[in-house]
Amino acid sequence: MTRRVVLGALFGALTVLGTGCGDECVDQFDCRDKGAPPAGQQWTCNADNTCELQNLTPQPEEDAGTEVDAGTEVDAGAEVDAGTEVDAGTEDAGTEVDAGMNVAKGDACTASTDCMAGLRCEAATCQSLHIAVTGNDGGTRALVTEYDVPGMTSLSADGVASAYPRFGPDGAQVAFVQGDVTGAAGELAVRPVPLTAAAPTVLTTGTAAGGARIRYMEWEPGSLIAWVRGSTGISTIAATGGSPAQATVNGTFPDWAPDGTSFAYSAASNGISISTGSGTPTPLAGSPTSGEQPHYNRTTSQLLFLANPEGTTVNFGAEATPVLKLYSLPVTGGGDPKLLAGTSTRPVEGGSVDSYIANPNWSPDGKWVAYVRANFLLVGNAATLCGNVGAELCGTDRGNDIYVQGVDSSGAKVGEPVLFAENATLPSFSPDGSLVAYVLGGQLVVRGIDPATGQPAATAITHPKDTYTVLTSEGDDHRPRWQPR
């Protein structure tokens, strides 16, 4: 357990500055929040990066059948959300956005499948999906924010510590730990979404649920919330309350299966196991004993995990850290794990620059995997993350980069990895697969992804750290979590 926390801290060690979006626009799509232009005119983005009206030539015909819901155009296949900067022509024919998801933000809907990408149907209108993170403003805070509207809200009361926010299956509730977030007195609480003035409902405490800290918590897609009791196994509790149940006697990193009742997890030297909620957990066929940090894909039958089959370790300070690779494996039937991203090494004066893999995450359809490649300077067996050493030692290698890798139905890699974000960590796909959230220099960043190529699309939406710095120090425990649609 301890080494995983140290490993997570390494990914937060590289401090970089994110670049905000100071210009009003970079292309005409960014001007959609100006509303529908007058007849015979169109919005354009001028040389000063501001929106202005220009006359159309020739005059367009009225009611051409392409304007729906407050001027949102749907014929170009690129309109995702009013002002969210995630379209830029990337959502073309055949993507989810064109398959009926054409209702704009603020317009009427009956189901989330009516709404454009990045939106959900809430109170009969399409609204922005929320993202939950853990941040710091002098104290640790569980936070939620609309993905396209910078401005985070703490889930706990003023001055009360909180961490690890996780959404429920319908997106209408969010769970988090409050109070003693690093000790056994921490409370597992839930709040409704959208947030109300009502106090959080406390379900249990670490003291009452085994006398250990509540961490590595996961909730959706089912009615049970799972967490790790410090380093003594996994417990669950119904989201409506009641008595907590001990699901396993050891292990960490629980990840729920599509049924919401069974989960995969890892235990030191035992690899990946599956718990069905009753009976003895069973090892995942074919997984190595070094396997850890499993992630289900809820559409395919594939499971992601990290492993260190060669047993290679390096020392970050006094801590021996495994050099991990990324694999996939069918949940049913087992087989031989397929390598999706491996380690690398290149010699430099006095040592080498090596890399390992961390923080993987599936796209919802199982066609893409995002992960972090961490580069470090290795001298003897002493490692230092690039970015924390001089550029003359690591050269052009950065500390953390996010890559996206194509994956086929068998779990094998397709094509070469795509560099998605430099100096960034903790990637997380939106539930419709159109956006990727990640952390860069303590700021939450959201960017569109081209579903055909995996390349970043449109302009990144940056949430400035004017009040809160988004934390990365505990690895996947601090990965941004998306509200379900």
Side-chain angles (χ1 to χ4, degrees):
M1 179 67 69
T2 302
R3 79 179 187 189
R4 295 280 70 76
V5 174
V6 171
L7 184 59
L10 298 174
F11 308 139
L14 178 59
T15 302
V16 293
L17 296 177
T19 301
C21 303
D23 298 327
E24 184 179 29
C25 61
V26 294
D27 57 35
Q28 72 182 86
F29 296 110
D30 295 334
C31 299
R32 288 169 299 155
D33 59 355
K34 299 294 183 182
Q41 293 184 306
Q42 65 177 355
W43 287 110
T44 63
C45 185
N46 63 27
D48 295 324
N49 296 107
T50 58
C51 297
E52 67 177 6
L53 288 168
Q54 287 189 353
N55 293 329
L56 286 170
T57 305
Q59 194 82 353
E61 296 181 7
E62 292 194 15
D63 192 17
T66 61
E67 294 191 357
V68 179
D69 292 326
T72 302
E73 297 182 11
V74 296
D75 57 339
E79 300 295 333
V80 178
D81 182 4
T84 61
E85 301 182 337
V86 293
D87 52 355
T90 61
E91 303 289 346
D92 55 5
T95 69
E96 289 184 283
V97 172
D98 294 316
M101 295 164 50
N102 57 10
V103 178
K105 184 176 179 178
D107 290 341
C109 57
T110 57
S112 291
T113 50
D114 299 334
C115 301
M116 289 180 172
L119 308 178
R120 62 182 254 123
C121 192
E122 194 169 275
T125 61
C126 291
Q127 301 294 333
S128 300
L129 289 170
H130 285 76
I131 296 176
V133 296
T134 301
N136 186 286
D137 63 349
T140 305
R141 307 283 182 254
L143 306 167
V144 294
T145 181
E146 292 180 274
Y147 88 88
D148 58 343
V149 182
M152 299 188 179
T153 301
S154 175
L155 294 173
S156 55
D158 290 346
V160 177
S162 55
Y164 318 128
R166 307 289 190 261
F167 287 103
D170 58 2
Q173 285 185 299
V174 59
F176 58 100
V177 180
Q178 67 176 9
D180 183 14
V181 298
T182 62
E187 299 174 333
L188 172 55
V190 294
R191 286 190 67 175
V193 182
L195 300 179
T196 67
T201 299
V202 176
L203 301 181
T204 189
T205 66
T207 302
R213 176 184 177 186
I214 297 173
R215 59 188 316 190
Y216 296 107
M217 189 169 64
E218 299 296 345
W219 185 357
E220 60 91 19
S223 60
L224 294 175
I225 301 172
W227 71 92
V228 176
R229 302 183 305 275
S231 59
T232 61
I234 298 168
S235 289
T236 62
I237 194 170
T240 53
S243 299
Q246 181 174 311
T248 71
V249 297
N250 60 9
T252 186
F253 294 113
D255 192 75
W256 287 109
D259 61 15
T261 59
S262 58
F263 59 85
Y265 69 98
S266 56
S269 302
N270 291 326
I272 311 297
S273 293
I274 307 296
S275 171
T276 61
S278 61
T280 303
T282 57
L284 176 63
S287 68
T289 57
S290 63
E292 61 176 75
Q293 301 183 50
H295 289 278
Y296 273 101
N297 186 274
R298 295 173 185 166
T299 301
T300 70
S301 63
Q302 299 297 326
L303 192 82
L304 284 180
F305 63 91
L306 298 170
N308 178 29
E310 291 84 15
T312 306
T313 63
V314 295
N315 294 329
F316 286 90
E319 190 74 26
T321 298
V323 179
L324 298 169
K325 303 176 182 180
L326 177 61
Y327 297 87
S328 69
L329 186 67
V331 179
T332 56
D336 294 325
K338 293 182 171 61
L339 180 66
L340 295 180
T343 58
S344 68
T345 184
R346 66 176 180 83
V348 298
E349 185 176 354
S352 62
V353 172
D354 293 27
S355 71
Y356 56 83
I357 308 302
N359 306 124
N361 194 236
W362 282 110
S363 68
D365 60 8
K367 294 180 180 179
W368 297 100
V369 169
Y371 61 86
V372 172
R373 182 171 290 277
N375 300 303
F376 57 94
L377 177 69
L378 186 64
V379 179
N381 199 43
T384 305
L385 200 68
C386 289
N388 293 341
V389 296
E392 70 277 6
L393 297 174
C394 279
T396 58
D397 289 315
R398 296 163 294 273
N400 300 326
D401 286 335
I402 294 174
Y403 284 86
V404 174
Q405 173 65 58
V407 181
D408 66 19
S409 59
S410 73
K413 61 190 298 185
V414 176
E416 295 302 313
V418 175
L419 177 60
F420 192 86
E422 299 178 357
N423 291 317
T425 188
L426 301 178
S428 181
F429 285 92
S430 64
D432 54 30
S434 66
L435 302 164
V436 178
Y438 54 91
V439 183
L440 191 157
Q443 300 181 123
L444 174 66
V445 180
V446 181
R447 192 161 191 187
I449 180 171
D450 186 318
T453 66
Q455 292 284 347
T459 303
I461 302 167
T462 300
H463 294 246
K465 52 179 180 180
D466 47 4
T467 301
Y468 300 102
T469 298
V470 179
L471 299 181
T472 61
S473 57
E474 296 187 44
D476 193 69
D477 227 9
H478 283 162
R479 174 171 51 86
R481 261 56 172 198
W482 285 86
Q483 182 183 27
R485 298 187 85 227

